[in-house]
Amino acid sequence: MPVIAPLDIDGFVVEASFLGDVAAFASGEGSVFFAGGPETQTPVHKNGLLCATPTQDGKALVTGGGDGRICKISADGSVEELAVQPRKWIDIIATGPQDSVAFASGRTAWVRLKTGELKEFQLQRAFAGLTFAPKGMRLAAARYDGVTLFWVNAAGDPQELSWKGAHSGICYSPDGKYLVTTMQENALHGWRLADSQDMRMTGYPGKVKSVSWSVKNKYLATSGAQAAILWPFMGKSGPMGQAPLELGVRADSMVSVVSCHPTEDMLAIGYQDGMVMAVRFHDNAEVVLRRPGAGPVSALAWDKKGNRLAFGTEEGAAGVITLVD
Amino acid sequence: MSEAADSRIPVTVLTGYLGAGKTTLLNRILSENHGTRYAVIVNEFGEIGIDNDLLVESDEEVYEMNNGCICCTVRGDLIRTVENLMKRKGAFDAIIVETTGVADPAPVAQTFFMDDDVRAAAKLDAVVAVVDARHVQQRLKDTEEAEDQIAFSDVILLNKTDLVSAEELAGVEAAIRKINPYAKIHHTERCQIAINDVLDRGAFELERILDLDPEFLKKAEHAHDHECGPDCDHDHDHGHHHHGHDHKHDHSHPDHECGPDCDHDHGQEDTHSVKSFSFTAGDLNANVFFDWINQVTQIQGPNILRMKGILSFKDDPQRYVVQGIHMIVEGDHQRDWKEDEKRESRIVFIGRELDGAALKTAFEACVAE
C-alpha cells in the first residue's frame, strides 16, 4: 500500500519537485517548503510566487514572482537571486542547458546565462510559454498565432511556426522531433520539426494545462478531460490518424495534472477533486494514491527512480507518497 | 446563474477617455479606508500613487477566441493575470481592471464570460466609465471608443462638473442618456463619490438586473416614448449655433422641460450611431423567444453592445431574466412572479445601427398565442 507523508503549505501549490531526495513545494504565497531536508520552509518572493521549475540537473528549483525576482532555491534552503526586473510579474520560466534560465513578462523574454549575462528577446504579442530545445541553445516561445524559435547565442533570424489561435504552454518531445503547444481553445497543437507538418489534437472538454512525456518518448499524456489522454508518438507521423489512450476515466471529476513515471509505462494523475491515482498503460490497472479533498491537484512530481511521488493542491495540501511494492 | 454560494472574486472594469479622471478615481478607491483589499490591473503604472502589493501592469492583448469572429474577442493578458492572481486567492477581495482610454470595453467584459477558468474564478461586477464633462462631446464626435465606453457602462461618473456650466452639464447628460439611458449617472468633481456607488454593484448578476435600479426599464420606456421620429411635432429648432465649443444653448422651451432623460437633439449634430431600444409585450412563447434571441444575437451580435431583459413566459410561474454582450447571451429563472406584480416581458437593446422597428416586430412576434 502507498504511504502518504502529508505536509501543510500556506497557499496554492504552484510546483512540486524532487531536488535529489528532498521534495520541494513552491507556494503561491511566496515560500518554498521542503520535505526530507534540513530546512522546512524558506521565504523567497514578497508579492507571490507565480512560477517554478527545476533546473535541468535536478538540484535546484528556479522561481519567478510578483516582485520581479528570479531565484534559485537549493535543497538546503539557500536562495540565490539570479535576476530582477523591477515591477514586472515574472510568470513564465524555463530552465535550459548549462544552467541557463529563461523568463518572460509581457512582450519581453530574457535568457540568463551561467555567467550572469542577460540576453533579451522581443515579440509583437505577449510571451505565453517558454521552453528550451533538448539540444543546443534554442528557446521556443508560445504566442498568439504560433511559436517563435530563437537562437540564444547565435545571430540569425528567429524561426516562426504559424497556427492561428492563442498558444500558451509549450514543450519539446524529449527526442527533439516534435514541438507541442497547449491552446486557449480546448486543443493541443503540434509540429513535426523535420518538415513543419501540423498536428491537431482536439476533442477535449476543457483546457489542457498539464502535459507530460512518457519514458522513451512513447506517449504525450495530457489533462483537460475526465480521463488522462495519451497521444501516441511512436510512429513516424506522431499521433496523426491514431486514437489516444484514455487512462483513469472518472465520471465525476476532471484531470487537472499528469506526470509520467520516469522509468515505467505508468502515469500519475491528479484530479480536480483532489484525488491522485497511478495507472499502468498496458492494462489500465489503477491504484488510488490519495483520496479526494483540499481542492484540485495542482502539482505532481516523481523522484528520479520513480519510488516516490510529490503532490500539492490549490488549497495547500501537499505530501510525499511512497509506493511500496 | 447557478454557481451556488458564489465565492467568485468580483471584478470592476474602469473605462474612460484619457484625462477623464480614471486614475483619480482609482487612487481614491485605493486610499480610502474601506477594509477591502484590491488587486488592480492597469495598463501602465503611470500616476498611481498608492503602493499596492497587487498592482499589476498588463499589456492589453486582445485576441479572437473562435474562428476570428470579432464578437468573440477577449483580453488574453487578463486571462493570465486572473490565473496568476488565483495563486494568491487569500491576498485580496476584489479586482479592478483599468483600461486604456481608447480601449473597447467589450473584450474586457467578454473575458469574464468566455474563458471557463476566469469565469470560475471571477465575476464581472460592473463596467464603470469616467466621463469628462467638459470634453466628452468632442470625444463623441471624434471617436467611436468614447461612445462604446458610455454604451457599455453600468455606472457613469460625469466628472469635472465644476468646469462646465449647468446648461452645458445638462447637454452632456442628455447626450449620454441618448446613448445609454440605463446606466446610473453620478455627477462628480475630482471623482468624489461614495465607493459603494462604484463597487460591488452586481450589475451583471441576473438576479439583480432589476433590483439594482427599479427605474431601469421605466426610464427606458420613458426615453423611448420621447424618441423623436420624422413626424415628431416637437420644436427642434434649439438654435444651431456653430461658434466653437462654447455651446451656450438656450434650453428654455415653451412646452417641454428638458431633464436627464430628455432625448432631444440639443443643437449638437447627431453623430451618435449608438442607440437604445426598449420593448414591452405580454406573455411570450419561450421556444419562439429563444430561437429569436439566439438568431438575433448571432446575426446582429457585432452591433449589439448590451442587452437586458425580464421576461414572462406563458404558463411559467417564474420571471426569466436575460442579458447579453454582443453574441454572448445568458439567462436564468429568477423568482416567482408576485401576486400584485404585472406580468409582462420587457427587453432593452443598446447597439450600433440596430433596426429598432425590425427588433420590435420580431420581439412582438414572440408573444404566446
Side-chain angles (χ1 to χ4, degrees):
Chain A
M1 272 298 290
V3 178
I4 302 182
L7 191 68
D8 277 335
I9 307 284
D10 75 333
F12 188 116
V13 180
V14 173
E15 177 80 8
S17 182
F18 278 94
L19 312 177
D21 281 336
V22 179
F25 302 88
S27 158
E29 293 300 320
S31 293
V32 173
F33 291 73
F34 303 95
E39 288 292 330
T40 55
Q41 182 184 353
T42 187
V44 183
H45 295 283
K46 264 196 307 210
N47 295 343
L49 183 157
L50 302 173
C51 56
T53 192
T55 53
Q56 288 202 341
D57 64 11
K59 288 181 181 162
L61 197 63
V62 179
T63 61
D67 55 2
R69 296 165 74 230
I70 296 89
C71 296
K72 185 174 173 180
I73 294 90
S74 302
D76 62 5
S78 62
V79 178
E80 180 192 352
E81 183 180 292
L82 297 180
V84 59
Q85 298 294 341
R87 303 197 85 174
K88 299 284 183 202
W89 274 35
I90 307 299
D91 62 347
I92 304 173
I93 205 156
T95 50
Q98 297 155 37
D99 284 343
S100 57
V101 175
F103 51 95
S105 176
R107 290 163 199 168
T108 310
W110 298 267
V111 173
R112 183 197 185 272
L113 302 174
K114 194 178 186 176
T115 56
E117 184 191 347
L118 276 189
K119 304 241 179 191
E120 190 175 308
F121 303 90
Q122 301 277 350
L123 283 178
Q124 293 293 315
R125 307 288 296 253
F127 282 84
L130 289 174
T131 191
F132 282 91
K135 284 183 188 154
M137 281 294 264
R138 210 152 186 219
L139 181 70
R143 55 170 168 78
Y144 190 53
D145 284 346
V147 166
T148 302
L149 305 170
F150 298 97
W151 298 102
V152 176
N153 287 321
D157 291 337
Q159 185 189 346
E160 310 283 354
L161 297 171
S162 295
W163 186 264
K164 211 169 158 35
H167 300 258
S168 39
I170 183 165
C171 65
Y172 275 93
S173 61
D175 62 8
K177 287 183 182 162
Y178 299 96
L179 192 59
V180 178
T181 60
T182 59
M183 296 189 68
Q184 163 68 29
E185 56 192 276
N186 301 337
L188 297 176
H189 194 79
W191 287 270
R192 186 168 61 197
L193 293 169
D195 57 1
S196 297
Q197 174 74 43
D198 287 298
M199 298 179 293
R200 231 171 126 51
M201 289 160 270
T202 58
Y204 293 91
K207 259 193 253 181
V208 181
K209 292 201 177 157
S210 172
V211 300
S212 174
W213 287 92
S214 78
V215 62
K216 291 182 189 151
N217 228 62
K218 280 189 211 156
Y219 288 96
L220 177 65
T222 62
S223 67
Q226 289 183 319
I229 307 296
L230 287 84
W231 298 95
F233 274 80
M234 294 82 97
K236 275 200 169 149
S237 54
M240 293 304 93
Q242 301 191 56
L245 292 183
E246 296 186 22
L247 300 182
V249 183
R250 293 270 307 274
D252 53 354
S253 190
M254 297 271 282
V255 173
S256 54
V257 187
V258 289
S259 178
C260 288
H261 192 275
T263 60
E264 313 261 338
D265 280 339
M266 186 167 80
L267 177 71
I269 305 174
Y271 295 86
Q272 287 285 351
D273 65 359
M275 185 191 273
V276 179
M277 193 145 76
V279 186
R280 209 156 49 192
F281 292 4
H282 77 270
D283 59 358
N284 217 339
E286 300 174 352
V287 182
V288 174
L289 301 179
R290 178 179 188 265
R291 297 195 184 287
V297 177
S298 53
L300 284 177
W302 293 97
D303 70 0
K304 213 170 176 180
K305 289 179 185 157
N307 293 334
R308 292 182 299 163
L309 178 72
F311 72 92
T313 76
E314 290 188 8
E315 290 173 17
V320 175
I321 302 168
T322 305
L323 285 84
V324 184
D325 279 331
Chain B
M1 270 171 281
S2 54
E3 280 100 334
D6 207 337
S7 62
R8 295 179 300 162
I9 304 284
V11 179
T12 304
V13 176
L14 288 187
T15 71
Y17 237 79
L18 214 66
K22 269 179 305 179
T23 307
T24 309
L25 177 61
L26 199 49
N27 278 329
R28 191 169 286 279
I29 293 169
L30 293 179
S31 58
E32 199 154 294
N33 185 15
H34 38 51
T36 307
R37 297 161 306 164
Y38 294 100
V40 183
I41 303 169
V42 298
N43 193 58
E44 58 179 359
F45 289 125
E47 290 166 18
I48 297 175
I50 306 298
D51 195 24
N52 182 325
D53 281 359
L54 286 164
L55 185 60
V56 194
E57 197 180 48
S58 183
D59 288 333
E60 296 192 339
E61 279 277 337
V62 175
Y63 62 59
E64 292 152 1
M65 289 273 278
N66 304 307
N67 312 321
C69 161
I70 64 144
C71 293
C72 302
T73 51
V74 296
R75 284 266 306 271
D77 61 307
L78 274 185
I79 295 177
R80 223 164 91 192
T81 305
V82 170
E83 264 176 39
N84 280 327
L85 284 170
M86 288 307 131
K87 294 171 189 165
R88 295 194 70 193
K89 243 184 254 175
F92 61 96
D93 310 302
I95 299 173
I96 300 173
V97 182
E98 185 199 28
T99 65
T100 62
V102 293
D104 174 1
V108 185
Q110 288 174 171
T111 303
F112 295 93
F113 292 95
M114 295 201 65
D115 184 89
D116 291 342
D117 296 328
V118 171
R119 202 191 158 103
K123 60 172 181 212
L124 191 55
D125 184 64
V127 178
V128 177
V130 183
V131 172
D132 179 339
R134 197 171 184 189
H135 294 118
V136 66
Q137 299 271 30
Q138 193 58 40
R139 294 277 174 264
L140 286 171
K141 276 187 189 158
D142 297 345
T143 66
E144 254 185 22
E145 291 91 354
E147 204 174 35
D148 282 347
Q149 288 168 357
I150 289 170
F152 236 93
S153 297
D154 304 289
V155 177
I156 295 172
L157 266 69
L158 188 46
N159 194 35
K160 305 195 182 183
T161 52
D162 49 330
L163 301 182
V164 293
S165 68
E167 289 79 18
E168 283 173 308
L169 191 60
V172 167
E173 181 152 348
I176 291 172
R177 275 284 172 236
K178 196 161 182 175
I179 298 166
N180 185 340
Y182 319 108
K184 281 243 177 185
I185 297 182
H186 299 279
H187 293 192
T188 58
E189 293 172 23
R190 287 171 292 281
C191 291
Q192 281 177 4
I193 187 166
I195 299 302
N196 289 343
D197 285 335
V198 179
L199 301 172
D200 201 16
R201 303 301 302 160
F204 284 84
E205 278 171 39
L206 289 169
E207 291 79 3
R208 284 175 65 178
I209 278 184
L210 251 200
D211 303 344
L212 184 68
D213 180 4
E215 297 297 301
F216 156 68
L217 286 156
K218 257 191 242 156
K219 269 185 199 161
E221 275 168 28
H222 171 73
H224 190 64
D225 287 342
H226 280 251
E227 185 123 51
C228 296
D231 41 9
C232 165
D233 61 2
H234 285 274
D235 182 5
H236 283 248
D237 188 17
H238 284 265
H240 290 262
H241 314 278
H242 288 286
H243 40 78
H245 297 290
D246 191 21
H247 293 282
K248 295 274 185 211
H249 301 304
D250 178 12
H251 280 256
S252 64
H253 199 283
D255 54 21
H256 178 80
E257 277 259 326
C258 292
D261 294 327
C262 170
D263 218 359
H264 290 272
D265 188 328
H266 287 223
Q268 303 285 340
E269 277 176 55
D270 188 4
T271 52
H272 310 320
S273 56
V274 174
K275 288 207 162 58
S276 60
F277 299 96
S278 143
F279 314 114
T280 54
D283 283 0
L284 303 183
N285 177 321
N287 291 333
V288 176
F289 173 79
F290 286 122
D291 282 351
W292 170 67
I293 200 74
N294 285 330
Q295 196 190 17
V296 80
T297 49
Q298 285 306 303
I299 295 169
Q300 298 195 51
N303 291 331
I304 297 170
L305 300 175
R306 292 284 291 267
M307 178 270 292
K308 293 184 182 188
I310 291 152
L311 308 166
S312 169
F313 292 133
K314 191 172 191 297
D315 301 327
D316 188 335
Q318 294 213 313
R319 303 206 313 184
Y320 194 89
V321 289
V322 64
Q323 69 162 327
I325 301 171
H326 287 317
M327 283 185 182
I328 302 169
V329 183
E330 60 170 35
D332 204 353
H333 282 101
Q334 184 201 25
R335 60 162 170 80
D336 285 347
W337 286 97
K338 290 174 189 156
E339 284 204 5
D340 57 349
E341 194 172 30
K342 184 183 170 197
R343 279 187 66 131
E344 63 176 0
S345 301
R346 297 174 286 181
I347 196 162
V348 168
F349 291 91
I350 299 178
R352 182 167 274 125
E353 287 155 30
L354 294 178
D355 182 343
L359 286 172
K360 185 172 196 282
T361 308
F363 177 66
E364 285 166 357
C366 299
V367 171
E369 298 286 306

